C-alpha cells in the first residue's frame, strides 16, 4: 500500500494491522471503527406489515394502506430529509413501506431501544463483545453506548407519521441490533464473524455494516468465509466503502457478494470527497448532512459512507418486503441496473453503477413499472405495542409539506409555521490543505483543516502531524480561527524532503454548540517534494 494513501481509522475503516486480539485469536485483525460523521441502524420487529397495495387497473398507480393521504408524513424533521428526494423514495412508498417479516441485522454499536422511533419493532439481538443476548422485551445487552448504531437505524426504519423526529426509508422493517463495537467504536474481525453468524441463525435476511478496513493478505480468505456463508444462506450483506478519499481496498466491502456503498453529496449530484474509491463499488447514495436519530431521544446530522449505506440497506428491505423470494444476486442486479449513472462509461471506482434509485429498484423487484409517486387517501398507521419502557414522545408538531418529486406536476401544499432545525450537529472536516494525496508539497507548508461548524478541543493531543516515513510525531504550533472554523498547523522545523506526512484530527474535537464529538477520526496524507 502506498504510504501516501489517506487512511481514516474509523468505523468504516475497520482497520489495520494484524495482531493478537483481546479474544486470544491470533488471526483476528484488530479493528477501530469510528463513526463517519453519523451512524448505523436499529429498529425492530413485531409490528404487523402493511396491507398489500390495492391495484385497480394497470394504468393506475399503487398505494399503500396506512400512508398519509397528503403523501407527507407528519414527522417534524421530515422536511430536513432532503437526501430522500434525489433517490426517489416517494416512488417506493407508493408500493410498500416495508414488512416486519423482513429482519435486518445491524452490526455496529447497538441500539438505543428506548427511542420512540423504534417502539414495537425491535427483534432481540446479540452482543458479540460479551456473548449476552437480548430478552424478548429487555434490550440491555445491545444498548448503544456510542450513538453510531442508533443514527443509522433511524435512516433505515424510524417510525413514519408518528409526529416525532424523522421518517425511516423502510419504516415497517424489523431491526435486529448486533453489537460488535464498543463505546469507542472498537472491535475485531472475530467479533464481526460471531455477530454475523448469530444474526443469520436467528432469522436475519439482510445484514448491514457501516464499518470496514484493510486486512493482511493472508487473512482475507479466512475473514471472507462467514460472508460466503451468508451468501449461501440467501442473506443480502451491505457494507460501507470507507472514508479514505482515495483508492483503498477495505473489507468487508470488497468481499464477493457484498453490496459495497459509497457516498454522495446530500443532493446526490456528486461523489463525496471523502468516499473511498474501489472497483468493488456497486453504487452510491447520499451520505452528507443526514439527519437521523441519536442517543437520549435526540437527533443529529452526520456525514460519511456510514450514512450512505443505510439508504441502500433500507431499499433492500423494501425490495424483500414486496418480493419475499427475491434472491441475493437478483437484489444486487436490480440495484445496479436501476442506479442513475453519475458519469459516462459504465461502472467505475468512484460511483459504481451510479446513484441509488429506491423507487425504481423496488418496482423492478416487484416486476412492475415505476409508479407515479401519488399516495392515495388512507387511514394512519396504528402504533404497535411497546416491548420495553420508552420515554414519552415529544410534543406533536404540525405536519410539514413534502417537496414534490421531480416529475410530478402540481403545487406543494402550504407549509405551516417552520420548526427549529435539529440543534445537535456533529463536526466534520470540510476542507484540508494540502489536499488528500498531494505530492511535491513545499517543505515550508503549514497544513490547514476547516470544520463544518465552530469547534473546541483544539490541542496537540487532538490535532496531530506525523512523519509517516519515520513514524515520528512532528512538533507543531496550532492556531484556530473561530470565524473561519480553520485550524493551522505550523511545523516548528522545516519538513523533510520526499517524506510522507499524515494530518490527524481525533474525536477530542467537539462542536461548540451541542458538544458532539468529531465522530470519525479524520486523516489526510500528503508527500513533500525537494523544495
Amino acid at each position: 500500500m502506498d504510504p501516501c494513501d489517506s487512511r481514516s481509522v474509523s468505523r468504516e475503516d475497520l482497520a489495520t494491522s494484524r495482531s493478537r486480539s483481546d479474544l486470544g485469536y491470533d488471526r483476528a485483525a484488530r479493528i477501530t471503527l469510528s463513526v463517519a460523521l453519523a451512524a448505523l441502524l436499529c429498529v425492530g420487529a413485531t409490528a404487523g406489515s402493511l396491507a398489500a397495495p390495492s391495484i385497480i387497473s394497470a394504468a393506475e398507480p399503487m398505494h399503500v394502506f396506512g400512508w398519509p393521504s397528503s403523501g407527507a408524513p407528519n414527522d417534524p424533521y421530515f422536511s430536513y430529509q432532503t437526501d430522500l428526494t434525489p433517490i426517489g423514495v416517494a416512488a417506493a412508498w407508493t408500493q410498500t413501506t416495508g414488512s416486519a417479516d423482513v429482519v435486518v441485522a445491524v452490526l455496529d454499536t447497538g441500539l438505543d431501544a428506548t427511542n420512540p422511533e423504534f417502539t414495537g419493532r425491535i427483534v432481540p439481538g446479540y452482543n458479540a463483545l460479551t456473548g449476552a443476548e437480548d430478552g424478548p422485551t429487555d434490550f440491555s445487552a445491545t444498548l448503544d453506548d456510542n450513538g453510531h448504531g442508533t443514527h443509522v437505524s433511524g435512516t433505515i426504519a424510524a417510525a413514519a407519521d408518528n409526529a416525532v423526529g424523522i421518517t425511516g426509508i423502510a419504516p415497517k422493517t424489523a431491526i435486529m441490533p448486533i453489537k460488535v463495537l464498543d463505546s469507542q467504536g472498537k472491535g475485531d474481525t472475530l467479533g464481526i464473524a460471531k455477530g454475523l453468524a448469530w444474526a443469520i441463525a436467528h432469522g436475519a435476511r439482510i445484514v448491514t455494516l457501516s464499518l470496514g478496513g484493510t486486512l493482511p493478505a493472508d487473512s482475507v480468505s479466512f475473514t471472507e468465509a462467514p460472508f460466503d456463508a451468508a451468501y449461501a444462506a440467501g442473506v443480502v450483506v451491505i457494507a460501507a466503502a470507507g472514508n479514505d478519499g482515495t483508492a483503498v481496498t477495505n473489507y468487508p466491502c470488497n468481499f464477493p457478494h457484498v453490496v459495497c456503498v459509497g457516498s454522495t453529496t446530500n443532493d446526490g449530484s456528486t461523489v463525496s470527497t471523502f468516499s473511498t474509491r474501489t472497483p468493488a463499488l456497486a453504487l452510491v447514495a447520499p451520505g452528507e448532512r443526514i439527519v437521523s436519530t441519536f442517543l437520549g431521544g435526540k437527533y443529529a446530522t452526520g456525514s460519511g459512507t456510514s450514512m450512505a449505506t443505510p439508504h441502500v440497506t433500507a431499499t433492500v428491505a423494501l425490495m424483500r418486503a414486496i418480493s419475499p423470494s427475491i434472491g441475493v444476486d437478483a437484489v444486487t442486479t436490480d440495484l445496479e441496473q436501476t442506479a442513475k449513472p453519475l458519469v459516462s462509461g459504465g461502472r467505475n471506482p468512484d460511483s459504481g453503477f451510479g446513484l441509488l434509485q429506491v423507487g425504481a429498484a423496488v418496482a423492478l423487484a416487484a416486476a412492475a413499472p415505476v409508479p407515479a409517486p401519488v399516495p392515495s387517501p388512507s387511514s394512519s398507521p396504528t402504533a404497535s405495542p411497546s416491548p420495553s419502557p420508552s420515554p414519552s414522545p415529544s410534543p406533536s408538531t404540525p405536519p410539514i409539506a413534502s417537496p414534490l418529486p421531480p416529475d410530478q406536476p402540481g403545487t406543494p401544499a402550504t407549509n405551516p409555521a417552520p420548526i427549529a432545525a435539529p440543534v445537535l450537529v456533529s463536526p466534520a472536516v470540510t476542507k484540508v490543505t494540502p489536499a488528500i494525496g498531494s505530492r511535491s508539497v513545499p517543505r515550508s507548508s503549514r497544513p490547514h483543516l476547516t470544520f463544518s461548524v465552530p469547534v473546541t478541543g483544539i490541542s496537540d493531543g487532538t490535532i496531530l502531524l506525523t512523519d509517516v516515513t519515520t513514524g515520528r510525531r512532528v512538533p507543531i504550533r496550532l492556531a484556530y480561527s473561530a470565524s473561519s472554523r480553520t485550524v493551522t498547523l505550523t511545523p516548528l522545523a522545516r519538513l523533510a524532503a520526499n517524506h510522507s506526512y499524515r494530518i490527524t484530527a481525533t474525536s477530542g474535537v467537539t462542536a461548540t454548540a451541542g458538544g458532539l464529538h468529531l465522530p470519525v477520526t479524520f486523516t489526510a496524507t500528503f508527500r513533500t517534494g525537494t523544495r
Side-chain angles (χ1 to χ4, degrees), residues 212-238:
T214 57
L215 289 172
D218 61 353
S219 295
V220 172
S221 60
F222 173 81
T223 310
E224 180 187 326
F227 293 89
D228 290 342
Y231 172 71
V235 176
V236 181
V237 179
I238 305 98

Side-chain angles (χ1 to χ4, degrees), residues 128-399:
L129 305 178
T130 65
E133 300 180 5
D134 287 330
T137 60
D138 178 6
F139 306 113
S140 58
T142 57
L143 177 67
D144 188 357
D145 48 8
N146 176 283
H148 189 262
T150 299
H151 190 282
V152 182
S153 310
T155 299
I156 296 174
D161 206 43
N162 65 338
V164 176
I166 64 165
T167 297
I169 294 173
K172 287 293 183 180
T173 300
I175 301 299
M176 176 191 289
I178 305 293
K179 186 171 177 62
V180 298
L181 306 175
D182 62 18
S183 61
Q184 301 301 310
K186 296 180 181 179
D188 57 38
T189 53
L190 180 58
I192 290 173
K194 290 168 59 180
L196 179 60
W198 193 97
I200 295 170
H202 290 78
R205 300 194 63 215
I206 302 167
V207 173
T208 188
L209 305 98
S210 281
L211 52 81
T214 57
L215 289 172
D218 61 353
S219 295
V220 172
S221 60
F222 173 81
T223 310
E224 180 187 326
F227 293 89
D228 290 342
Y231 172 71
V235 176
V236 181
V237 179
I238 305 98
N243 300 324
D244 302 275
T246 188
V248 175
T249 303
N250 287 319
Y251 297 96
C253 172
N254 275 267
F255 286 141
H257 313 303
V258 173
V259 180
C260 184
V261 182
S263 172
T264 71
T265 51
N266 189 274
D267 64 2
S269 63
T270 308
V271 175
S272 300
T273 57
F274 56 75
S275 189
T276 297
R277 275 61 174 171
T278 172
L281 198 67
L283 72 172
V284 290
E288 298 186 24
R289 296 184 292 108
I290 307 302
V291 180
S292 192
T293 46
F294 202 66
L295 301 182
K298 297 177 181 178
Y299 296 81
T301 59
S303 301
T305 55
S306 271
M307 286 38 278
T309 301
H311 290 72
V312 176
T313 303
T315 303
V316 176
L318 295 177
M319 294 168 73
R320 285 204 147 173
I322 204 166
S323 182
S325 62
I326 188 170
V328 178
D329 291 337
V331 166
T332 303
T333 299
D334 288 355
L335 288 170
E336 294 173 348
Q337 286 186 353
T338 56
K340 177 184 177 181
L342 296 184
V343 295
S344 60
R347 187 176 191 173
N348 62 87
D350 293 349
S351 58
F353 284 94
L355 180 67
L356 170 71
Q357 296 297 293
V358 185
V362 172
L364 189 56
V370 181
V374 186
S376 303
S378 57
S379 57
S380 297
T382 303
S384 57
S386 172
S388 59
S390 299
S392 301
S394 305
S396 178
T397 306

Side-chain angles (χ1 to χ4, degrees), residues 394-436:
S394 305
S396 178
T397 306
I400 297 174
S402 171
L404 289 174
D407 332 271
Q408 184 181 342
T411 304
T414 303
N415 208 1
I419 60 171
V423 295
L424 292 179
V425 180
S426 302
V429 175
T430 58
K431 183 179 180 181
V432 57
T433 305
I436 293 174

